[in-house]
Amino acid sequence: MNFHRFFKQLAAGVLCAAAMSGQQAPADSSNPKKAEAYYNYSMGHLYAELASAYGNRGEHLNKAIEFYRAAIKADPDASFIAEELAELFIASGQLRNAVTEAEEALRKNPEDLVARRILGRIYSRMLGDGQTGRINEEMLKKAIEQYQKISEKDPQDIESLLMLGRLQKVGQNSPESEKAYKRVLEIDPDNVDANTGLAMVYADLGDTKQASELLEKAARKNPSLRTLTTLASNYEQMRDFKLAAETLRRALDLSPGNPDLKRAYAQNLLFGDQYEEALKQYEELVAEEPRDTQSWLRISQIYRQLRNFDKAREAGTRAREQEPNNLEIRYNDVSLLESEGKTAEAIKALTEILNATARLEYSPADRGNRLLLLERLGMMYRQNHQPKEAVDTFEQMAVLDPEMGARISAQVIETWRLAKNYDNAKAEAEKSKSRYPKDRTLTLVRSNLLAEMGRVPEAATEVKSLLDGKNDRETYINLAQIYEKSKDYPQMSEAIDAAEKLSSTDEEKEHLFFMRGAMLERMKKFDESEVEFRKVLKINPDNSSALNYLGYMLADRNVRLEEARAMIQKAVDQDPQNGAYLDSLGWVYFRLGRDEDAERVLLQAAERVPKDPTVHDHLGDVYAKRGKLKEAISQWERSLTEWNATASAERDEAEIAKVQKKLDQGKVRLAKETSRN
């Protein structure tokens, strides 16, 4: 039994009733000190509640403190009384006096565990900054020190061991956190808090299997709302939304009709990509409460994912009617337009939101939201091939938060690079290097630019300088991408292998299998390449990039065309606005002899990625086959123009030669046809 909770319930009932009547609660004749402690605790608890109800009035507050101290004196081992006294000091703003008093008590008697419990609780409550989310390292260190000493002197104090486990986890000291939780489980093997806390330590260490086993054990032992919701919360932190949803479904069986549980259940279904079931839950919620704005918003988001844009807009309208100024609801309209491929309209809608919410000064929360919206607007401009507008938008972020300078520079470099304006990209990269020489993200972005401009050895050296034993997997991946630019496949292969050795999850390996598959395809090792892409699809059958790449590889070789079409179509269904996927689909239609479909889809691709030379080459081939020779020549010329604007590392001389040959032959053929007419 948890005696802390039991006694608090007891104090709130029988003992408090006795106290209010002015009579002492019946004493346990076998242990008069315990009875005295219980009475004084109940009185302290009562006056603490009165103090809270009346704005911490001095008379109630002083009586609460007096009774708590008497209770502690009668039963020093009742650790929860000291913790409740500490909470009272915190709530009433008497931190300085409490700390001074406790420190003086420890100076006189270092063995005074009551003083240590008060200090530990106060320090632990002073860990975080609610506005910045940062941890106060000094308070963390002091809190850990107090609970370590309490646990040494009182190794059976479960509450202090649990707190120690939590604090060590906050300090990212997983071994010490694990040790504290295991000590609790030695005393109480079924302790829910220790099992869930230890599970989160294992989750942080990547041992999700052991974490899940502990969480399930806690829920099986005590399948209450508390254990199940705690289990679900931990699954959420592990980003296993399907298990979180299943656990919340079990909780709903214990509390049918609980709207908060149902919303949490629906949200995890949504995050776990279980759209149909999530939609069912949200529709039940709005049927019960038509003004449930958040549920209408989620319905809109689900329909958007299902690409039913009419119903998405209808649900979004219902949400907006109830809360017209809700930023998340208004942003949902932007996302809907973007999903429909209406980028220009989405830009306009987001600009209107930013204009309507402009202020001379912003709260920290509003500033954070505005920064996110500005960054999104900049990326939308970039996607819409408006680099100058994108850069101007990113630079507005610096006015709001000068500390974001490095991140903004990285966005500016990427914007100019993707626009093939290498002079501007290089100028920004050189400026940022002098301003932020040690910023990791900027180093990677600059290195990518250098490699694309043909300066691969210099780029590789910069990336290698980031190998520090902390983020080496990410560094090796970036190094592989650098070597890819110069077609140095042996070095690229070594970097991929090094990253794979540092990968523990299927999700991490999935990306590396994809990279190796792409590398082998460029090396013309098509069978080996397909093996790697099949590994990706075994882990994630819906990986759109792998579906597209493998499908295009088959189509380009003119083999297994129906299989290629099915894979590419699946990728397009997931991301209909992706220009590369549309190009692949158009090309497989061409290979299948479906020339009209090929032309239609390739025109869409050219609209999405107008600077891609391959798309224009493919469109030229389709026009030539359909007898539209002038249009074909125009597309091949456009392809060569884009190839010539491409950075040296990205140029494919063999492909350029093929396009040039087709262009020359097309011009000759057109001249002959013109002369005959």
Side-chain angles (χ1 to χ4, degrees):
M1 175 184 292
N2 187 321
F3 288 100
H4 181 185
R5 294 188 182 89
F6 170 77
F7 182 62
K8 287 185 74 172
Q9 292 169 0
L10 185 63
V14 177
L15 292 176
C16 278
M20 290 179 70
S21 67
Q23 298 174 1
Q24 183 166 322
D28 179 353
S29 59
S30 65
N31 195 339
K33 280 292 184 184
K34 291 285 185 184
E36 182 184 347
Y38 291 167
Y39 167 73
N40 283 298
Y41 172 79
S42 68
M43 293 296 289
H45 191 78
L46 171 65
Y47 278 111
E49 290 185 347
L50 287 171
S52 175
Y54 291 97
N56 287 320
R57 283 171 55 178
E59 58 199 81
H60 297 319
L61 186 63
N62 292 335
K63 282 185 177 292
I65 293 171
E66 179 184 338
F67 277 114
Y68 276 138
R69 284 174 173 161
I72 291 168
K73 184 177 180 181
D75 188 0
D77 294 330
S79 61
F80 62 88
I81 304 177
E83 290 170 356
E84 195 159 317
L85 177 57
E87 292 295 329
L88 182 63
F89 284 136
I90 293 166
S92 62
Q94 295 193 26
L95 286 181
R96 182 175 297 177
N97 291 341
V99 170
T100 301
E101 184 177 311
E103 287 178 343
E104 176 62 19
L106 284 176
R107 188 183 65 77
K108 294 177 179 177
N109 178 16
E111 307 297 314
D112 188 341
L113 297 188
V114 171
R116 292 199 183 280
R117 288 183 179 113
I118 290 173
L119 283 175
R121 180 54 63 100
I122 290 173
Y123 292 147
S124 64
R125 287 290 299 271
M126 296 170 68
L127 288 180
D129 184 325
Q131 292 186 340
T132 66
R134 294 174 181 166
I135 296 297
N136 185 320
E137 297 293 340
E138 182 184 358
M139 289 298 107
L140 177 61
K141 182 180 177 182
K142 286 185 174 184
I144 288 174
E145 180 184 4
Q146 294 306 321
Y147 283 109
Q148 281 176 331
K149 292 189 175 179
I150 294 168
S151 300
E152 288 169 7
K153 297 294 181 182
D154 186 358
Q156 300 298 306
D157 184 348
I158 286 179
E159 295 296 332
S160 292
L161 284 169
L162 286 171
M163 182 61 78
L164 183 58
R166 297 182 192 113
L167 292 168
Q168 295 286 17
K169 185 177 181 299
V170 170
Q172 300 181 359
N173 191 339
S174 296
E176 289 300 317
S177 181
E178 179 183 7
K179 187 187 300 182
Y181 285 128
K182 283 185 172 179
R183 284 171 62 190
V184 174
L185 293 173
E186 289 172 4
I187 303 167
D188 179 7
D190 297 328
N191 188 285
V192 173
D193 292 325
N195 274 304
T196 53
L198 186 56
M200 293 315 299
V201 172
Y202 288 141
D204 286 347
L205 295 172
D207 190 348
T208 54
K209 183 175 182 296
Q210 194 165 357
S212 300
E213 288 173 355
L214 282 167
L215 292 168
E216 279 292 351
K217 176 185 174 184
R220 281 196 305 270
K221 282 285 184 182
N222 185 12
S224 63
L225 276 180
R226 178 177 179 274
T227 56
L228 289 170
T229 52
T230 300
L231 174 59
S233 175
N234 283 292
Y235 279 138
E236 287 175 1
Q237 292 181 52
M238 292 160 59
R239 304 193 66 76
D240 195 331
F241 299 114
K242 289 184 178 179
L243 279 176
E246 172 58 25
T247 305
L248 287 167
R249 187 195 60 74
R250 290 159 60 190
L252 274 169
D253 291 341
L254 298 177
S255 180
N258 184 316
D260 292 331
L261 272 180
K262 199 166 189 176
R263 287 189 192 92
Y265 174 49
Q267 181 165 293
N268 278 284
L269 288 169
L270 171 59
F271 290 167
D273 297 334
Q274 296 171 271
Y275 298 125
E276 297 293 347
E277 183 58 29
L279 184 60
K280 177 185 174 183
Q281 299 300 319
Y282 281 121
E283 287 180 336
E284 288 178 3
L285 282 164
V286 296
E288 295 164 6
E289 176 47 69
R291 295 190 63 79
D292 185 346
T293 307
Q294 281 298 309
S295 291
W296 281 117
L297 174 61
R298 298 293 178 251
I299 290 171
S300 177
Q301 292 168 340
I302 291 170
Y303 276 126
R304 175 163 55 85
Q305 289 291 337
L306 297 174
R307 309 202 66 74
N308 188 332
F309 298 129
D310 289 340
K311 287 195 172 182
R313 183 158 280 108
E314 179 184 331
T317 299
R318 292 291 298 271
R320 191 170 57 255
E321 285 172 352
Q322 294 172 44
E323 294 187 35
N325 297 319
N326 184 297
L327 194 59
E328 187 180 7
I329 294 171
R330 295 181 69 181
Y331 185 71
N332 181 60
D333 293 340
V334 175
S335 299
L336 181 55
L337 289 167
E338 202 173 6
S339 296
E340 293 177 292
K342 301 174 181 178
T343 307
E345 292 179 46
I347 288 172
K348 181 182 177 183
L350 184 50
T351 302
E352 288 174 356
I353 292 173
L354 284 162
N355 289 340
T357 55
R359 303 284 185 273
L360 292 175
E361 294 184 6
Y362 299 94
S363 69
D366 288 342
R367 183 184 298 109
N369 287 333
R370 191 168 185 82
L371 287 166
L372 289 173
L373 293 179
L374 283 169
E375 188 165 31
R376 185 73 194 114
L377 179 60
M379 294 170 74
M380 288 167 63
Y381 274 130
R382 186 163 71 196
Q383 179 186 344
N384 206 43
H385 314 292
Q386 296 175 263
K388 184 180 183 304
E389 290 82 354
V391 170
D392 289 344
T393 303
F394 290 134
E395 289 178 345
Q396 288 181 48
M397 295 169 65
V399 178
L400 275 179
D401 189 352
E403 291 186 8
M404 293 187 70
R407 179 168 168 175
I408 293 165
S409 284
Q411 290 283 24
V412 170
I413 294 167
E414 279 294 280
T415 300
W416 290 127
R417 182 185 71 81
L418 291 169
K420 299 182 180 180
N421 188 328
Y422 294 105
D423 289 339
N424 282 1
K426 182 182 176 183
E428 180 66 29
E430 290 175 350
K431 183 172 66 175
S432 69
K433 187 172 184 178
S434 61
R435 289 181 178 177
Y436 316 104
K438 295 183 179 180
D439 186 87
R440 181 181 179 83
T441 300
L442 266 174
T443 299
L444 293 173
V445 170
R446 282 196 305 266
S447 299
N448 189 43
L449 175 64
L450 289 172
E452 199 162 299
M453 296 171 66
R455 295 161 59 181
V456 171
E458 184 180 347
T461 299
E462 285 210 17
V463 173
K464 286 178 181 177
S465 71
L466 298 175
L467 290 168
D468 57 4
K470 298 178 182 177
N471 302 287
D472 286 358
R473 179 180 174 276
E474 178 194 1
T475 303
Y476 280 122
I477 289 172
N478 281 276
L479 190 59
Q481 292 167 342
I482 295 297
Y483 286 127
E484 182 182 21
K485 305 286 187 186
S486 61
K487 301 179 178 60
D488 188 343
Y489 299 125
Q491 292 269 41
M492 181 182 179
S493 182
E494 285 185 18
I496 293 174
D497 291 345
E500 187 175 354
K501 288 177 183 176
L502 297 172
S503 302
S504 56
T505 66
D506 283 346
E507 185 178 12
E508 290 177 339
K509 292 176 182 177
E510 179 183 341
H511 179 58
L512 293 164
F513 293 153
F514 182 94
M515 289 184 71
R516 190 178 288 116
M519 178 190 73
L520 291 166
E521 183 270 336
R522 291 184 177 90
M523 297 170 71
K524 311 301 181 189
K525 296 181 178 181
F526 301 115
D527 291 341
E528 293 176 51
S529 174
E530 182 170 347
V531 168
E532 295 299 314
F533 284 121
R534 294 291 180 190
K535 289 180 184 177
V536 175
L537 294 173
K538 183 178 180 181
I539 295 171
N540 179 9
D542 296 323
N543 186 307
S544 58
S545 296
L547 288 164
N548 174 69
Y549 206 118
L550 181 54
Y552 181 81
M553 185 171 75
L554 296 174
D556 205 40
R557 294 163 60 209
N558 210 19
V559 298
R560 292 152 50 198
L561 293 177
E562 275 302 331
E563 181 185 359
R565 185 204 60 75
M567 285 192 286
I568 296 168
Q569 185 64 62
K570 187 175 180 181
V572 171
D573 289 344
Q574 292 181 47
D575 189 359
Q577 308 304 323
N578 190 301
Y581 298 175
L582 290 168
D583 174 58
S584 298
L585 185 60
W587 191 236
V588 78
Y589 280 147
F590 176 74
R591 292 296 203 194
L592 287 165
R594 295 170 57 175
D595 299 335
E596 188 174 335
D597 287 332
E599 180 180 342
R600 172 179 56 81
V601 175
L602 285 168
L603 282 170
Q604 293 175 26
E607 184 180 343
R608 300 286 183 273
V609 282
K611 294 184 178 295
D612 189 321
T614 303
V615 174
H616 295 293
D617 178 28
H618 288 163
L619 195 50
D621 289 357
V622 172
Y623 281 141
K625 187 179 178 185
R626 302 197 72 192
K628 302 178 180 181
L629 199 53
K630 287 184 179 179
E631 289 89 339
I633 289 171
S634 175
Q635 289 299 321
W636 288 324
E637 287 176 336
R638 178 69 183 274
S639 177
L640 289 174
T641 297
E642 296 303 336
W643 274 122
N644 289 331
T646 300
S648 58
E650 297 291 318
R651 288 170 61 88
D652 189 326
E653 298 300 335
E655 289 299 317
I656 293 172
K658 288 179 185 178
V659 177
Q660 185 66 60
K661 183 178 179 180
K662 285 186 281 190
L663 176 60
D664 293 342
Q665 290 174 340
K667 287 181 176 179
V668 170
R669 181 180 159 192
L670 181 63
K672 288 179 179 179
E673 290 178 0
T674 302
S675 64
R676 281 199 297 268
N677 295 331

